[in-house]
Amino acid sequence: GISLYCAHTNLDFAPCGTARALCEALELPFAAWPEQPGCMTVFAGSPQALGDRAAQRLGGQPRVWAAGPCKKICLVPGSGGDYAQAALDAGADTLLTGEMKYHDALYAYQRGLNIITVGHDFSERPVVAAMARHLQNAWNHVEYQTYAEK
């Protein structure tokens, strides 16, 4: 008697999906990043300040590779290391993602990109509540329960 819906990659590319939920959780303005599983946003401050905001709002202990100030940020929930060059090409100075390989982070950092990794699960967890709100608004006669391990 239980319905179960599992979504992952489709939520990564959905306009109101994982990236938007992460942006909202960090209280940052959202702008689409066309054809990418992330979003663009702005933040005026240091990479450490953005890492601190992520720790406060998402939990965990973000790792910050600070190459300079933050202004234009690409957010890629989950594993975003493959998008470092795309972030640089888009004119971003910061990539905030769940995780990336050490050498990929080092390579991007050496090219002047701030790297903030917040933890794969911490970067995707905000979409759970967003999905429940969306479903509740669409079909209010159903009771929705979510579970996201903390």
Side-chain angles (χ1 to χ4, degrees):
I2 296 174
S3 296
L4 176 65
Y5 176 76
C6 298
H8 194 135
T9 304
N10 52 342
L11 276 175
D12 290 344
F13 284 90
C16 293
T18 313
R20 183 181 291 263
L22 177 58
C23 231
E24 289 173 359
L26 294 172
E27 297 181 11
L28 296 171
F30 173 86
W33 187 14
E35 300 179 23
Q36 303 295 339
C39 65
M40 303 291 286
T41 190
V42 293
F43 178 82
S46 70
Q48 189 59 52
L50 183 54
D52 291 346
R53 178 184 286 205
Q56 179 184 37
R57 289 178 172 80
L58 304 174
Q61 297 179 328
R63 179 161 188 192
V64 177
W65 301 54
C70 292
K71 293 178 186 155
K72 185 176 181 182
I73 300 149
C74 291
L75 274 78
V76 181
S79 183
D82 291 343
Y83 298 94
Q85 187 59 54
L88 287 166
D89 293 346
D93 52 52
T94 304
L95 174 64
L96 187 147
T97 187
E99 64 177 314
M100 64 190 297
K101 295 177 183 173
Y102 174 82
H103 288 98
D104 292 341
L106 181 60
Y107 178 84
Y109 169 74
Q110 289 173 337
R111 274 139 195 79
L113 190 65
N114 299 308
I115 302 294
I116 304 171
T117 56
V118 299
H120 193 118
D121 56 334
F122 291 107
S123 72
E124 293 182 336
R125 197 170 288 146
V127 80
V128 175
M131 179 75 134
R133 284 191 306 272
H134 174 77
L135 291 171
Q136 197 67 62
N137 288 334
W139 297 290
N140 195 36
H141 62 283
V142 177
E143 179 183 345
Y144 295 93
Q145 296 180 2
T146 61
Y147 173 77
E149 188 176 316
K150 291 195 177 199

